[in-house]
Amino acid sequence: MFKKKIRVSSGVSQLDRQLGGLFIGDNVVWYDNAGSLASTFSLNFIQESQRQNKPLIYITFDRSPKTLLEDLGPLAENQHLTILDCFTHGKGDGSEVFSKFYEKDGAQWPHKMVRVNAPGDPEVVSDAVYSLHGTMKGDVRFVFDSLTGMQDLWGGEEAIGKFYSHACPRLYELDTIAYWIMEKGAHSDRLRASINQIAQVAIDLTVNRGKSALTILKADKRRPDALNSPLIYWNDGLDVAFETETGKGGNIDLGGRIKQIRKRQAMPQKELAALVGVTPSTISQIETGTIYPSLPALFKIAQVLNVSVAAFFQDRSDAIGQVVFSGGGTRISLPDLPKPDAAGYRLSPADFDADAEPYLIEIPAGKKLSAHFFIHKGQEMGYLLDGSIELKIGNRLYAATPGDVIYLTREIPSQWKNTGKETARLLWVKIRK
């Protein structure tokens, strides 16, 4: 009888869109050309599994339990995580240095740790994997880190080829999802071809000229538009963003997106350049697409603009469903006004596109502003929360007290003055048409 495939998330939303998501039963092979690229995607997969309260078994051959727990960080503090330690008596050779780890009272660990005493025998490892699985319910998740480590311990490709060819069909029938990580350069084309034939999903990760690229080599029962096409991506910790979004008109204009967010912060290029530690010319070239920012520069730009790196690769549809934004207002520049004269705070994230932009404007007691807060290009309106305000438009003066609404269409004030003895606070909204 036909069994409907259940689609789940990889934990990376943009990868889900490119790939078409994961299916229960998937064996996902990650070919890592640099040896460290797959980690970000594995950690997101673990985080997503924990969010769904799904049991996950992490099989480690290359890293000691202590090192692995440090790499997992907060993700290790989870009762649904089980670590199958094939390192201590494998590459660790049973050394006291690694065995001492178990002197800590294991009952106090939030996770479960299982040590395999003879990981050099593939049958012993196989029995340990399926014995653990038998104690768990639901669609169990696996991370095999790594096939390359298995090969080093088992003495050749034939052993891991045999293990993999037996494990994948069985894990598929057991309704699991498994990530298999291997260093691409450490294995023959013949082995990779054999693995690709069995896997449901195969993904290649490379670095070329400082750019990370992800290529979907295979995706059973899915038809990704980007199949066999390298997708440039950036990652900042667990945050992953793709330069290209399939189905959205091709390349995202990274420089234009940075410029858009910078201008929403009302931050001049010169100020952004100084805070990032580059020249204004560099920022100008980045925004016009003449040059690409380095990874450190991109992360610094995101930090200064108070957005995630992913925000530079998203469009309006990525955040359109968000309802509540946390974190309060972000201080912005008011370039036409001296800094002591007024303070402005953008109340919505700088990377969020909407038809209205809300701000909080504060004018100290007794201050007179010789210009409007913003370069006026459309309708604006404000609600006076506290204080007393006098504004001059043309030759006319208008007074406002708390609770009054100020509405601007074509003309803007040439002067604002706080006529009270306390800071005037305005909830101000720029309306875009």
Side-chain angles (χ1 to χ4, degrees):
M1 183 178 177
F2 175 75
K3 185 177 180 181
K4 185 178 180 181
K5 302 294 290 183
I6 300 174
R7 197 185 301 266
V8 298
S9 173
S10 67
V12 179
S13 60
Q14 290 181 293
L15 175 61
D16 291 339
R17 286 194 291 274
Q18 298 286 358
L19 177 65
L22 299 176
F23 289 138
I24 301 298
D26 275 348
N27 287 277
V28 184
V29 179
W30 295 86
Y31 296 110
D32 190 336
N33 271 10
S36 58
L37 300 174
S39 175
T40 295
F41 296 95
S42 293
L43 292 175
N44 273 288
F45 176 60
I46 294 169
Q47 180 174 259
E48 179 64 18
S49 298
Q50 292 180 354
R51 189 185 68 79
Q52 298 177 20
N53 294 322
K54 299 294 184 180
L56 185 140
I57 301 173
Y58 195 111
I59 301 95
T60 178
F61 279 82
D62 282 349
R63 288 181 284 180
S64 69
K66 181 180 178 181
T67 300
L68 176 58
L69 292 177
E70 290 173 351
D71 292 343
L72 290 173
L75 297 178
E77 306 293 319
N78 190 282
Q79 61 180 339
H80 298 291
L81 173 67
T82 300
I83 295 173
L84 190 62
D85 174 16
C86 296
F87 174 89
T88 299
H89 287 287
K91 289 187 175 182
D93 203 27
S95 170
E96 184 180 356
V97 173
F98 302 112
S99 297
K100 276 185 176 180
F101 173 82
Y102 289 91
E103 293 178 5
K104 179 182 176 181
D105 184 3
Q108 303 301 315
W109 297 339
H111 53 271
K112 183 178 181 180
M113 185 80 68
V114 178
R115 179 169 44 180
V116 179
N117 293 324
D121 185 342
E123 291 296 327
V124 172
V125 174
S126 181
D127 289 344
V129 168
Y130 297 120
S131 293
L132 279 175
H133 179 271
T135 66
M136 301 174 181
K137 297 180 180 179
D139 48 297
V140 181
R141 316 292 169 85
F142 286 88
V143 175
F144 288 87
D145 185 10
S146 67
L147 279 165
T148 309
M150 294 179 187
Q151 176 175 298
D152 295 342
L153 187 62
W154 296 345
E157 292 189 342
E158 185 177 347
I160 65 169
K162 181 178 179 182
F163 178 87
Y164 181 85
S165 64
H166 284 81
C168 279
R170 186 168 179 180
L171 293 174
Y172 180 87
E173 292 299 325
L174 290 173
D175 288 337
T176 70
I177 301 178
Y179 272 27
W180 301 80
I181 301 167
M182 61 189 296
E183 295 179 29
K184 185 176 181 180
H187 305 278
S188 68
D189 291 341
R190 180 174 175 271
L191 178 65
R192 291 197 300 269
S194 175
I195 284 175
N196 282 355
Q197 186 176 13
I198 301 169
Q200 284 74 42
V201 178
I203 297 175
D204 186 73
L205 300 172
T206 59
V207 175
N208 186 20
R209 296 183 180 179
K211 294 183 181 180
S212 303
L214 178 151
T215 304
I216 301 169
L217 305 175
K218 181 181 180 181
D220 275 358
K221 299 180 176 62
R222 282 147 288 197
R223 294 184 178 180
D225 293 336
L227 191 66
N228 294 315
S229 298
L231 302 169
I232 303 300
Y233 73 91
W234 309 75
N235 72 281
D236 180 7
L238 293 185
D239 290 332
V240 180
F242 286 86
E243 180 187 37
T244 302
E245 276 289 271
T246 301
K248 293 183 181 179
N251 290 335
I252 285 180
D253 180 6
L254 173 61
R257 186 68 170 147
I258 291 174
K259 180 179 181 180
Q260 181 186 45
I261 293 174
R262 174 184 63 79
K263 294 189 76 171
R264 286 203 196 121
Q265 298 281 38
M267 182 180 293
Q269 282 186 347
K270 185 176 180 180
E271 182 178 345
L272 176 59
L275 293 171
V276 173
V278 298
T279 65
S281 175
T282 298
I283 296 297
S284 177
Q285 290 179 76
I286 289 172
E287 291 186 349
T288 57
T290 306
I291 63 173
Y292 236 74
S294 66
L295 278 172
L298 188 67
F299 295 154
K300 186 63 177 178
I301 290 170
Q303 180 184 0
V304 170
L305 294 177
N306 198 33
V307 297
S308 68
V309 172
F312 297 141
F313 303 91
Q314 295 171 339
D315 65 11
R316 182 172 181 171
S317 62
D318 290 314
I320 200 166
Q322 194 163 350
V323 175
V324 178
F325 298 94
S326 303
T330 301
R331 182 74 179 258
I332 63 168
S333 299
L334 300 173
D336 290 339
L337 299 171
K339 286 188 176 180
D341 286 4
Y345 302 87
R346 184 185 172 95
L347 301 182
S348 61
D351 56 328
F352 182 67
D353 290 324
D355 293 327
E357 298 175 359
Y359 297 86
L360 179 66
I361 306 295
E362 295 182 345
I363 305 173
K367 280 290 180 181
K368 182 187 291 185
L369 310 184
S370 58
H372 185 46
F373 322 124
F374 305 110
I375 298 174
H376 184 73
K377 290 186 178 180
Q379 297 180 59
E380 299 180 28
M381 62 188 307
Y383 179 84
L384 187 57
L385 299 169
D386 304 297
S388 301
I389 287 290
E390 184 180 86
L391 57 153
K392 183 178 180 181
I393 300 177
N395 295 320
R396 300 190 62 179
L397 291 176
Y398 301 87
T401 56
D404 286 344
V405 174
I406 302 167
Y407 180 55
L408 306 179
T409 52
R410 296 182 180 85
E411 295 183 281
I412 59 173
S414 58
Q415 177 183 297
W416 292 83
K417 183 178 180 181
N418 183 347
T419 57
K421 296 182 179 181
E422 60 179 328
T423 297
R425 298 168 66 244
L426 276 159
L427 176 61
W428 199 258
V429 180
K430 294 174 67 176
I431 302 169
R432 295 208 305 263
K433 283 192 173 181

